[in-house]
Amino acid sequence: MTLADTRAGIAAVYDELAVRLGVPFDSGAIVKRLGPPLESELANWLPPEAVPAAADLYRQIYPELGVPVHTAMAGAYDAIEAVRAAGGRVIVVTGKNLRDAIGTVKRLGFPVDEVVGSLFGAGKGSALARFGAAAYVGDHVGDIEAARAGGALSVTVATGPYTAGELRDHGADVALTDLTDFAAWFAGWRTQAELG
């Protein structure tokens, strides 16, 4: 949950999936640990052989029940504008599948340059390197791994399952409370880069 608050949408999809599959998913617990791939979460609730079909069904339901209730995180639009006003590009690299990631970006009107989906942790590194990302902003320890793998500065926000202290302890270069702190941090970072 860096740019978009997807908790209500994801909970709604899991609640519907519970009805259709007859499995007592705890959507409240699930949305407190967002980040890893869908299949990893489903493996907590289903036998291995049932995970692929459940993931397919989840992805069928998501555009109708999940995307429409997504909201922007506080400071998201200002953070994007700060980067764009400085001549930078905003690339979304996410674990969400590409269709639903693009659907979320469009629904919320985020003016981003590119969207890359279905990557997690260090697996995001190749996309970050390909775009020449100077910094990668995320809310999960997997995003710290992504930044490292992509040769980018790890900027984290404590809007996911980790506190700012925990993100620092995991090696984040920068740990912000949320994106409302990003524009000021970014301006200072750019100034330091220009002076350095």
Side-chain angles (χ1 to χ4, degrees):
M1 293 188 318
T2 304
L3 289 174
D5 186 343
T6 57
R7 289 173 293 191
I10 289 171
V13 176
Y14 270 106
D15 291 344
E16 178 63 19
L17 197 63
V19 170
R20 295 195 192 187
L21 298 180
V23 175
F25 295 110
D26 182 346
S27 60
I30 290 169
V31 299
K32 289 180 181 173
R33 57 178 179 244
L34 296 177
L38 169 63
E39 288 80 2
S40 297
E41 181 60 50
L42 290 171
N44 293 324
W45 305 92
L46 299 167
E49 65 275 8
V51 168
D56 287 347
L57 182 56
Y58 177 100
R59 289 185 179 110
Q60 287 173 15
I61 298 168
Y62 200 92
E64 181 181 347
L65 292 182
V67 173
V69 294
H70 291 170
T71 58
M73 294 297 287
Y77 295 104
D78 290 341
I80 292 170
E81 177 54 30
V83 173
R84 294 178 66 83
R89 298 176 68 209
V90 178
I91 314 297
V92 173
V93 182
T94 178
K96 191 175 297 304
N97 71 76
L98 185 60
R99 179 202 63 202
D100 294 335
I102 291 172
T104 299
V105 164
K106 286 184 177 178
R107 157 142 175 75
L108 299 176
F110 289 145
V112 305
D113 297 286
E114 300 278 350
V115 180
V116 180
S118 299
L119 297 174
F120 179 70
K124 295 179 177 181
S126 60
L128 297 176
R130 185 173 80 239
F131 289 110
Y136 181 62
V137 184
D139 68 352
H140 195 277
V141 295
D143 296 322
I144 299 168
E145 296 169 7
R148 295 283 174 267
L153 187 76
S154 171
V155 181
T156 56
V157 287
T159 50
Y162 300 94
T163 66
E166 289 169 332
L167 292 164
R168 271 190 224 90
D169 289 346
H170 278 94
D173 296 308
V174 178
L176 305 173
T177 303
D178 59 34
L179 283 178
T180 62
D181 297 331
F182 179 85
W185 169 81
F186 182 71
W189 178 60
R190 286 188 62 239
T191 300
Q192 288 176 349
E194 289 169 2
L195 294 174

